[in-house]
Amino acid sequence: MKKRTAALAMVLLLALVPGALAAELNDVGVYPITQETEVLTILMQQDVLVEDYDTNAFTLWIEESCGVDLQFELLPAGNDGTDKLALMLSSGQELPDVINMQMSVLQDYIYGTAGIFIDLTDYYEDYAYYFNQRAAQYPDIDFLGPITAADGKIYSLPRYYNETIGLTSKRLWMNMEFLEALDLKVPTTTEELYQVLKAFQERDPNGNGVNDEIPLLGSSSAELMGYLMNAFIYTNPSNNYYTLKDGVIGVSYTEDAFREGLRYMNRLCEEGLLSPLTFSQSFDQYKQTVTGDGETATVGCFVSFSTSLSINNYATSPLTPQYKAIAPLSGPEGVRFTEYTPTIAQPQWHVTAYCENPELAFRVGDFLMNEEAFLRARIGEPGVHWEYAEPGMPSFFEGRDAKFTFVSIWNETQNSMWRLNIPTISVDDLDLRYFDGDPTNATYTCAVSWPEYQACIPPEGEYAPALIFTPEEVDAISEIQSTLSTYVGECIARFVTGDMDIENDWESFQNELDAIGLDLFLETSQTAYDRMMG
């Protein structure tokens, strides 16, 4: 341990000495960055759809543009990779120059104060070029606040990756051919939805003479709650079910309106209108249920982000054109919200204390924030997979011109891009892809529904932001938070399916929440919120 500490101290000392071990660099904004090619080592997760990072066209472009030789250390994808990273950071082993992985600002604080990540705060003033250009385009968006650690320092370059259709991601997709066959109107209230589902159940809308219709199916409990419960009370399962009223943090599942929403969903389930498979099947099983035999629709409506995530081979399936997203519903008290998850910056590009030239590492990360880098990293090679659009070409959003035309290779094994995975500021790039007129395109069908969902976003100050906790706060509530999440999810499923009685078991449900530690969880969440707002 003493050797490890001494070695790290020497690395930190060298990093503070002007010119120590550092190659000569060109002025900020001049490319390539280096006068002679310099090696930069990068730790990141392997994407199975990227053939070879060393020969990847995006890698070669970075190297030529910046004057660097990128050398990669790749971690496994998914949780295996993040677990291995945590082990590397805690074990004291020597690290590459840069860790290019999405992390939390709490992790930045922990590893920054431990001396593993370099404080980049002053680098933004001295060396940022493309970051400043991109940030200046969007003066109303705070790109650095969300990645600023509790000690006031910034230990990373951000990834801000916005796609408008993802801001309200819980949609109800209804089979329009079912409605037409039964001469029904699109429902606008929860009671009208009940009547439509009842008709789907009883009147054979797919016309096959078999009682095989599933009126309503959710892709998960969270998807169902994020759509349907918002007709009773603002509900955001993606953010701990937080509510916010007059600056006070709460949770929706303690409120009478939430209980009323459970009553409604239990009614649907008891009458066979809402499939209990919502709470038990895997995502792949869900897609297969929606897809069925691929020819005859059996699901009247489903709650999911998009048709592309719900129907196998959606681009060519005859089922896809039958479904349209309907607007959020009004509940019995006139409540009409949609779950809203605003995009925030996340720490992405971390320069480690082992980097001999942190200015170079920062400036390469800053270079990746230019617009062309985003398009190359996300779409592919210019002139091959994308090119800038001619004026007047339509985008997915009515009234807005396309920025570029593209050929998607996102789901293909390829050697042209990194499938994003870079520090970036991208506010509307994906919104402004060229729309070729295909009415079944998943992005288009989501975009068409956006104005109706946008109208149901709660006013600012009436929904809780993503809260940033200190290490001490995490220690105090992490186990409580995990237990609450599991318990609430289980009880929602049981209340809706009737395994728990909404009348007789509600009080015991609330009592158990108290026993788990809900009061401490809310008290700590309030402290974090007040600090962020202060």
Side-chain angles (χ1 to χ4, degrees):
M1 183 65 185
K2 290 182 179 179
K3 290 182 179 179
R4 143 73 180 164
T5 304
L8 180 57
M10 180 60 70
V11 171
L12 289 169
L13 178 62
L14 290 170
L16 294 173
V17 178
L21 303 178
E24 189 171 353
L25 305 182
N26 291 319
D27 292 341
V28 173
V30 176
Y31 296 92
I33 299 169
T34 60
Q35 297 189 10
E36 296 184 5
T37 300
E38 295 292 324
V39 171
L40 190 68
T41 56
I42 299 179
L43 179 70
M44 55 194 286
Q45 286 185 287
Q46 169 76 57
D47 189 311
V48 295
L49 293 181
V50 177
E51 290 178 359
D52 187 335
Y53 283 92
D54 290 323
T55 61
N56 189 277
F58 183 59
T59 301
L60 299 179
W61 178 71
I62 298 170
E63 291 178 331
E64 181 180 358
S65 300
C66 295
V68 292
D69 174 14
L70 300 183
Q71 297 183 3
F72 298 92
E73 183 175 342
L74 298 175
L75 299 175
N79 291 334
D80 289 344
T82 53
D83 290 345
K84 185 173 181 180
L85 173 64
L87 181 62
M88 294 174 68
L89 291 169
S90 62
S91 66
Q93 71 181 82
E94 187 171 343
L95 297 166
D97 299 323
V98 172
I99 297 175
N100 177 36
M101 291 176 64
Q102 193 167 335
M103 301 175 73
S104 70
V105 68
L106 176 60
Q107 289 172 301
D108 271 17
Y109 174 76
I110 292 170
Y111 299 122
T113 54
I116 299 173
F117 294 165
I118 289 177
D119 174 15
L120 301 177
T121 309
D122 292 339
Y123 286 59
Y124 280 91
E125 181 175 346
D126 297 335
Y127 306 124
Y129 181 72
Y130 282 112
F131 171 83
N132 290 337
Q133 288 185 12
R134 293 290 268 173
Q137 291 179 263
Y138 309 101
D140 295 332
I141 302 176
D142 182 5
F143 298 109
L144 293 182
I147 67 166
T148 301
D151 59 357
K153 298 178 180 179
I154 305 171
Y155 296 100
S156 60
L157 282 156
R159 165 183 162 130
Y160 183 94
Y161 178 43
N162 179 76
E163 186 174 10
T164 296
I165 61 174
L167 300 177
T168 57
S169 61
K170 308 299 192 291
R171 297 180 180 84
L172 181 66
W173 299 88
M174 182 164 285
N175 192 304
M176 296 294 112
E177 291 189 7
F178 280 19
L179 286 180
E180 184 178 354
L182 302 180
D183 195 25
L184 298 172
K185 295 181 180 179
V186 173
T188 60
T189 68
T190 51
E191 183 56 32
E192 289 176 3
L193 176 64
Y194 170 82
Q195 298 298 336
V196 167
L197 297 178
K198 200 71 174 173
F200 286 174
Q201 179 190 55
E202 297 175 346
R203 296 172 55 190
D204 189 26
N206 64 15
N208 66 354
V210 181
N211 185 22
D212 57 356
E213 285 82 4
I214 299 174
L216 172 61
L217 176 69
S219 58
S220 70
S221 174
E223 296 285 319
L224 180 72
M225 302 304 289
Y227 178 82
L228 207 47
M229 188 59 78
N230 272 293
F232 297 86
I233 183 174
Y234 179 68
T235 301
N236 190 338
S238 302
N239 192 23
N240 293 304
Y241 287 87
Y242 282 135
T243 59
L244 181 64
K245 185 176 182 180
D246 298 326
V248 178
I249 293 285
V251 284
S252 57
Y253 51 73
T254 61
E255 302 294 329
D256 288 340
F258 193 91
R259 186 182 188 184
E260 192 60 33
L262 291 177
R263 286 192 181 102
Y264 173 78
M265 286 182 247
N266 172 251
R267 176 191 180 195
L268 298 183
C269 201
E270 289 288 327
E271 296 187 28
L273 306 180
L274 167 62
S275 174
L277 292 174
T278 297
F279 306 101
S280 61
Q281 62 186 356
S282 69
F283 189 73
D284 286 341
Q285 289 171 329
Y286 156 77
K287 287 186 70 175
Q288 187 54 57
T289 301
V290 174
T291 305
D293 65 7
E295 298 293 334
T296 301
T298 57
V299 176
C301 43
F302 53 84
V303 182
S304 178
F305 175 51
S306 69
T307 52
S308 62
L309 295 179
S310 302
I311 300 172
N312 290 327
N313 304 313
Y314 101 97
T316 57
S317 173
L319 304 182
T320 303
Q322 300 179 32
Y323 291 94
K324 177 183 176 181
I326 72 168
L329 302 171
S330 293
E333 301 301 321
V335 173
R336 187 171 180 256
F337 290 121
T338 184
E339 179 186 305
Y340 176 55
T341 307
T343 302
I344 63 169
Q346 296 284 336
Q348 176 73 31
W349 184 268
H350 308 81
V351 181
T352 75
Y354 295 92
C355 180
E356 295 181 356
N357 195 337
E359 178 189 337
L360 173 62
F362 177 89
R363 288 176 62 182
V364 171
D366 174 76
F367 172 78
L368 295 178
M369 304 195 81
N370 76 69
E371 180 179 274
E372 184 178 348
F374 170 81
L375 294 174
R376 284 176 175 267
R378 172 61 177 80
I379 308 297
E381 299 173 65
V384 179
H385 305 112
W386 64 270
E387 58 186 28
Y388 286 106
E390 297 293 331
M393 297 182 75
S395 73
F396 289 115
F397 287 81
E398 186 176 358
R400 302 189 67 189
D401 289 352
K403 179 182 289 186
F404 60 93
T405 63
F406 72 104
V407 176
S408 178
I409 56 170
W410 180 255
N411 291 315
E412 301 175 13
T413 301
Q414 46 72 39
N415 209 33
S416 297
M417 61 170 177
W418 288 6
R419 283 171 42 91
L420 198 55
N421 197 24
I422 59 169
T424 190
I425 291 176
S426 176
V427 175
D428 58 8
D429 299 288
L430 292 183
D431 294 345
L432 302 183
R433 289 172 288 177
Y434 167 66
F435 172 51
D436 63 4
D438 177 6
T440 65
N441 180 284
T443 301
Y444 172 72
T445 54
C446 288
V448 167
S449 72
W450 163 248
E452 295 176 323
Y453 280 74
Q454 182 185 29
C456 297
I457 294 172
E460 189 170 354
E462 294 184 21
Y463 62 86
L467 301 182
I468 300 173
F469 296 102
T470 66
E472 294 75 20
E473 289 166 347
V474 170
D475 288 342
I477 66 168
S478 60
E479 186 174 345
I480 295 173
Q481 184 178 23
S482 176
T483 304
L484 283 172
S485 177
T486 300
Y487 179 69
V488 169
E490 290 175 351
C491 289
I492 285 172
R494 294 179 66 189
F495 279 130
V496 172
T497 59
D499 188 49
M500 288 177 68
D501 187 281
I502 193 65
E503 310 306 330
N504 297 326
D505 295 327
W506 181 256
E507 185 175 353
S508 62
F509 168 59
Q510 298 298 318
N511 290 339
E512 183 60 23
L513 294 174
D514 293 339
I516 291 170
L518 178 60
D519 285 347
L520 178 58
F521 175 72
L522 291 177
E523 178 184 332
T524 307
S525 299
Q526 186 70 53
T527 299
Y529 174 78
D530 291 342
R531 181 175 60 247
M532 291 171 62
M533 296 299 107

